[in-house]
Amino acid sequence: MTTLSELARLDTCVTVVDASNFLANYESVESVRDRTADAADEDERTIADLMTDQLEFADVVIVNKSDLVTPKQFSAVKAVV
């Protein structure tokens, strides 16, 4: 059986940020386990921790839905990202 690493290599990780929901999720104290049934039992991260991990790992960050927020909110999202 051919493995994925034999077929391709990870060159760039892209993360898409939803500007209209980002700040509410980033300030959330909700745990990953509370949000989704797919989370591992030992995953004790908050949604904010998960988002931070994804942003730190990304080579490219795309901020989407910027038309749904005010310029002040968009600046706040950019400041965090």
Side-chain angles (χ1 to χ4, degrees):
M1 176 177 230
T2 303
T3 64
L4 180 59
S5 64
E6 294 171 329
L7 297 174
R9 74 178 174 88
L10 181 61
D11 180 65
T12 303
C13 180
V14 178
T15 294
V16 179
V17 171
D18 177 348
S20 64
N21 290 302
F22 179 79
L23 293 175
N25 284 316
Y26 192 73
E27 295 169 354
S28 172
V29 295
E30 185 178 17
S31 75
V32 173
R33 287 185 308 200
D34 291 340
R35 179 75 62 98
T36 177
D38 294 341
D41 289 338
E42 62 273 2
D43 192 346
E44 296 182 3
R45 295 176 295 174
T46 64
I47 296 299
D49 292 335
L50 174 62
M51 292 172 67
T52 300
D53 289 346
Q54 291 176 345
L55 287 167
E56 288 177 346
F57 187 76
D59 299 306
V60 176
V61 177
I62 298 170
V63 179
N64 192 23
K65 299 185 183 179
S66 59
D67 59 318
L68 301 178
V69 297
T70 66
K72 184 177 180 178
Q73 290 169 319
F74 186 65
S75 292
V77 171
K78 288 193 319 183
V80 173
V81 171

